[in-house]
Structures are given as structure tokens and as C-alpha cells.
Amino acid sequence: MTTVDLAKLHIDDFTAHQGAEFEMQAADRIVALKLARVEPAGNSGRPGGAFSLLFAGPKGAWLPQAIYSVRHPALGVMEIFLVPIGPLADANGYQAIFT
């Protein structure tokens, strides 16, 4: 599967997949992430506007902020910079912002 060009992704590409599972490749394992929230993030000059993705991962040890390969069956493989943002109910929260 080829890597998706992040510049071509828009908020609408993710909205339909809110609640869906994504796979993140960590250094030593694959981590299941649920796309918990998709939100607009203002006008940054990005075609379609900036947006934010909030993922819920398994509770436990936090993964550091880094660029991770994230895979979804319909969207493909994306190299996304994810930042841990704190607990989300019974999960660890990670955020990606597209500007």
C-alpha cells in the first residue's frame, strides 16, 4: 500500500471515518487507535482549511510524540505527527493537526 500525500487530505476524508479503527506502527508493535473526533481548526491557507484529528489509544504507557505510520483500509497509509494530549475517558489521547 502506498503512502498518502498529506497535503491532499481534507477534513471530509476523515469525517466519514469518525469512530473507525486505525493501525499505528509503533517501534515494536502495532497499536489500535480509534478516531474519536474530527474538528475544523481554522483557516491556515491549507486548501479546505486546517483540521484536527483526535485518536483514542490503549490505556497504559504513553507513546512519545513522533511521526508514525498510520493505516486505514479506505484511506491508506499516512505518515502522521502524533502528540500525546492526555487521558480520554478510558484511553490515551493522541492528536494530529493538519495546517
Side-chain angles (χ1 to χ4, degrees):
M1 190 175 277
T2 60
T3 303
V4 176
D5 180 355
L6 297 183
K8 294 182 179 178
L9 293 173
H10 298 185
I11 190 170
D12 294 339
D13 295 320
F14 292 95
T15 303
H17 302 290
Q18 190 165 323
E21 188 170 296
F22 288 68
E23 293 179 344
M24 176 178 68
Q25 180 64 57
D28 59 346
R29 66 190 186 283
I30 293 178
V31 178
L33 298 176
K34 177 182 169 187
L35 182 55
R37 202 162 47 225
V38 180
E39 297 179 326
N43 185 1
S44 66
R46 177 187 182 87
F51 61 95
S52 167
L53 304 178
L54 185 62
F55 291 97
K59 233 180 161 153
W62 290 90
L63 293 167
Q65 70 179 24
I67 296 173
Y68 292 97
S69 289
V70 177
R71 180 181 176 152
H72 183 268
L75 296 172
V77 177
M78 299 156 279
E79 297 292 323
I80 301 177
F81 183 67
L82 290 171
V83 177
I85 59 161
L88 296 175
D90 61 347
N92 287 356
Y94 297 92
Q95 185 176 35
I97 299 176
F98 292 75
T99 58

